[in-house]
Amino acid sequence: MGTACCGPAFCALGCGLWPTLAMSRFVSELQSPGKRWLVAGLGNPGLPGTRHSVGLAVLGQLARRLGVAESWVRDSSCAADLVLAPLGDAQLVLLRPRRLMNANGRSVARAAELFGLTAEEVYLVHDELDKPLGKLALKLGGSARGHNGVRSCISCLNSSAMPRLRVGIGRPVHPGTVEGHVLGYFSPEEQELLPPLLESATDLLLDHIQNRSQAPSPGP
């Protein structure tokens, strides 16, 4: 059986995706003549503070930095919380999925459809086992590397071209404890490292988006 994910054609009405009142208002507010980007924090709703949901923590810091932390709107068509934020001449659509990690891609793909964005214009922020806590890396495209949330996004967007901010959470010594480590909460010692990590992640993300927004558009 096929998945419930959306296909590669990012045309909201053409795909039968009728926006809710909240999303209709969002679309009407997109007046910026510059670039538009979607930034999705991957994670499990209702489990803030876990290592697997560190992408949501980064998105929360990003919203605070941009002054929109109190403006989130829940949208049923995307099964997500969304908020718009200006960034110079560009405009960001921040998204917090309200589906479980393994189905985050369905929320991301529907929002991409609605806002008319390609996979290359969708940023994913997620945890990374193979980097120690405190380390960051911004990767352009590639495989899911075993991350179920990224795998869901690749499947639903029918593309692996999304830029990804990978936030290190460290890999436990014993392989049998990986699941508990990923789904567990940061220890008190680790929590002390989180504020500067979230700040650095926000800096890296904004710098990258600003540089891409200012780059000349490719020719025909």
Side-chain angles (χ1 to χ4, degrees), residues 160-179:
S160 61
M162 298 78 71
R164 297 159 217 178
L165 177 58
R166 298 183 291 158
V167 183
I169 61 171
R171 181 180 288 274
V173 175
H174 302 290
T177 63
V178 167
E179 183 176 355

Side-chain angles (χ1 to χ4, degrees), residues 197-212:
L197 173 61
L198 299 182
E199 289 286 355
S200 296
T202 299
D203 289 339
L204 180 58
L205 193 57
L206 289 176
D207 286 347
H208 195 269
I209 293 174
Q210 286 176 319
N211 288 336
R212 290 185 71 197

Side-chain angles (χ1 to χ4, degrees), residues 55-65 69 72 94 96 198 202:
L56 294 175
V58 173
L59 207 69
Q61 180 61 33
L62 178 60
R64 288 189 289 273
R65 178 81 66 87
W72 292 98
L94 309 187
R96 300 186 305 203
L198 299 182
T202 299

Side-chain angles (χ1 to χ4, degrees), residues 1 37 41 52 66 95 208:
M1 295 292 291
W37 311 94
H52 212 24
L66 296 172
L95 180 143
H208 195 269

